[in-house]
Amino acid sequence: MIFKNLHPSFKERVHITPELSNFLDMLRWIAALVVVVAHIRSTIMVPYSELVSSNLFLDIFYFVSNIGHEAVIVFFVLSGFLVGGNTLDSFINNKFSWRIYLVNRVSRLYVVLVPALIIGFALDYFGSYLYEPYYMNEYGFGPFAYDVTTRVNFDTFVMNLLMMQTSHSTQFGSNGPLWSLAYEFWYYITFPLILGLIYNKKTLSRFFSAVILVLLLIVLNTNIFIYFAYWLIGIIVYLLYKNKCESYSHLYISLLIFILLVYLSYINFFNVYKISLFFLAIATGYLIYSLQTSKILFSAFNVKMASFSYTLYLYHAPLLLYLASELGITKSQPEWSSFALFVFLLLCVYVYSYLAYLLFEKNTLNVRAFLHKVTSAK
């Protein structure tokens, strides 16, 4: 089968060509890499505004290492395209099942999240005990610009398990990237509820969908629903892809537009940052749509790198802070020694994340099959 070697999350695709599948893998691992690069650079090097001198290489390096948030927008559009598109098809074909859907989504997220929280707790607990100043923001590390010690407690742990970070809690410990996971989770819940209002024939089902949606609007952080627009762009791209609209062969044009919008978002050209991100999301969607007939390049490599991109995203921050504390790192000007340190930390994070992937994320399908068996038992 064409997709037998793909990552578990991609097995749920419908009508995805091998060409597009390859490029979606590539976008995922590159976006994850950009996030990690942004966090490492802002941990060990001074901000661009504090550079003693600059050149073209440093300008490019700081640009790439300053667009971590933009990379997350790429994740949202990809998720909307893949998960949202599959969910929409299920409703249209009257095959949607909340049991199957929730088992698939919960297994996908929590197989990685639960050990990430536990291991992150261990790193933060011992790190703050051994190197307290580093964990209390005395060194001004970019991704850890807060007192981590105030976030390492049972209440915050539970709230993150319930995906309430950013709504009624901070992210747990030093794991700042958990903010986007909460957003993603609630998109998984919100979108089927909206579709339920449209496609459910039973009045009672529609009523319950409406009530839950209203409750979510009251309970959840407003930004979650603002960012939902980025996720929904992925749905629009999926509909265009599914209906095989023409004029999708403008790969180089879409790539140039994407790069331009990344840059405009980076400099906040539109003055309102969320509007900048919205245009970036549109550019990402156009890029995805343009990739569907492109030739396959490095497909095996892209599949391998994408396979643990979720683990990389969720595991790297606590390890990075611990290593920075252990090595006694303080921010410095970008020199050869700091770039060597940058490469060393990047390798450490990748090896660590891949090992965590082998232990946890790689077993997603097994956990999913077990949960399906348990929940479907009469």
Side-chain angles (χ1 to χ4, degrees):
M1 293 179 64
I2 292 176
F3 301 117
K4 66 180 181 180
N5 294 321
L6 291 183
H7 190 260
S9 64
F10 289 135
K11 290 181 179 290
E12 299 168 3
R13 300 174 182 170
V14 288
H15 310 305
I16 303 296
T17 66
E19 291 85 0
L20 180 57
S21 174
N22 173 61
F23 277 100
L24 294 179
D25 284 328
M26 185 176 67
L27 283 176
R28 289 177 70 233
W29 76 256
I30 291 177
L33 171 63
V34 169
V35 171
V36 175
V37 164
H39 288 166
I40 295 177
R41 199 277 305 156
S42 60
T43 297
I44 68 175
M45 298 182 192
V46 297
Y48 185 82
S49 59
E50 297 179 15
L51 291 180
V52 173
S53 62
S54 182
N55 53 50
L56 180 60
F57 171 77
L58 286 179
D59 288 343
I60 295 174
F61 176 72
Y62 267 80
F63 167 67
V64 173
S65 63
N66 263 335
I67 56 173
H69 196 74
E70 284 77 3
V72 177
I73 302 304
V74 174
F75 280 131
F76 285 154
V77 178
L78 286 171
S79 175
F81 179 80
L82 295 168
V83 179
N86 187 55
T87 305
L88 179 60
D89 268 353
S90 297
F91 270 94
I92 291 174
N93 297 317
N94 198 29
K95 293 182 179 180
F96 182 81
S97 164
W98 271 107
R99 181 192 67 79
I100 294 174
Y101 179 78
L102 288 176
V103 166
N104 288 345
R105 302 276 55 84
V106 167
S107 60
R108 173 69 179 130
L109 296 181
Y110 280 88
V111 166
V112 178
L113 173 62
V114 173
L117 289 174
I118 295 172
I119 296 172
F121 165 75
L123 288 171
D124 287 341
Y125 180 81
F126 288 107
S128 59
Y129 176 77
L130 296 171
Y131 313 106
E132 187 177 32
Y134 283 89
Y135 284 78
M136 295 184 69
N137 194 32
E138 291 190 14
Y139 292 92
F141 291 154
F144 314 107
Y146 53 86
D147 187 348
V148 173
T149 62
T150 63
R151 300 185 178 189
V152 185
N153 54 67
F154 182 74
D155 290 344
T156 308
F157 184 94
V158 172
M159 294 301 283
N160 278 249
L161 274 179
L162 297 175
M163 299 295 183
M164 283 296 172
Q165 61 270 29
T166 75
S167 293
H168 298 280
S169 168
T170 59
Q171 297 92 300
F172 183 71
S174 60
N175 206 337
L178 285 169
W179 73 268
S180 64
L181 191 66
Y183 283 38
E184 188 84 10
F185 175 82
W186 292 114
Y187 301 155
Y188 292 163
I189 301 301
T190 301
F191 189 60
L193 289 172
I194 294 173
L195 293 179
L197 289 174
I198 300 171
Y199 289 100
N200 281 338
K201 297 180 180 179
K202 297 180 180 180
T203 303
L204 187 60
S205 296
R206 290 183 174 181
F207 173 76
F208 279 117
S209 293
V211 169
I212 295 173
L213 281 171
V214 170
L215 288 175
L216 292 180
L217 284 169
I218 295 172
V219 171
L220 296 179
N221 172 17
T222 304
N223 270 335
I224 291 179
F225 296 101
I226 295 175
Y227 277 62
F228 191 33
Y230 312 143
W231 197 84
L232 290 175
I233 288 172
I235 306 292
I236 297 172
V237 177
Y238 178 83
L239 289 172
L240 293 173
Y241 174 81
K242 182 181 177 182
N243 289 285
K244 301 186 183 301
C245 297
E246 298 299 329
S247 71
Y248 52 68
S249 58
H250 307 113
L251 172 59
Y252 296 109
I253 294 176
S254 65
L255 186 59
L256 286 173
I257 292 174
F258 174 76
I259 294 172
L260 174 63
L261 266 296
V262 170
Y263 178 73
L264 293 180
S265 174
Y266 167 69
I267 64 174
N268 195 14
F269 178 79
F270 300 101
N271 293 323
V272 179
Y273 188 55
K274 290 183 177 64
I275 294 178
S276 300
L277 294 178
F278 180 73
F279 284 112
L280 173 60
I282 293 175
T284 303
Y286 182 41
L287 178 62
I288 293 172
Y289 191 69
S290 301
L291 290 172
Q292 58 185 291
T293 59
S294 302
K295 295 180 181 180
I296 299 177
L297 297 172
F298 312 112
S299 58
F301 178 76
N302 289 329
V303 170
K304 176 62 71 174
M305 294 296 289
S307 67
F308 67 101
S309 59
Y310 174 38
T311 296
L312 175 68
Y313 183 79
L314 217 58
Y315 279 68
H316 74 276
L319 178 68
L320 175 58
L321 179 57
Y322 185 85
L323 288 176
S325 306
E326 178 75 27
L327 297 173
I329 293 172
T330 55
K331 286 186 177 183
S332 65
Q333 293 289 322
E335 300 173 347
W336 287 114
S337 58
S338 54
F339 276 105
L341 177 61
F342 174 89
V343 173
F344 172 74
L345 291 174
L346 186 64
L347 289 174
C348 287
V349 164
Y350 263 82
V351 171
Y352 165 77
S353 298
Y354 186 70
L355 292 175
Y357 157 78
L358 294 177
L359 288 173
F360 308 114
E361 187 177 1
K362 192 175 182 180
N363 296 302
T364 297
L365 288 182
N366 295 329
V367 174
R368 182 174 296 174
F370 172 76
L371 291 176
H372 277 305
K373 183 178 180 180
V374 170
T375 57
S376 63
K378 295 182 180 179

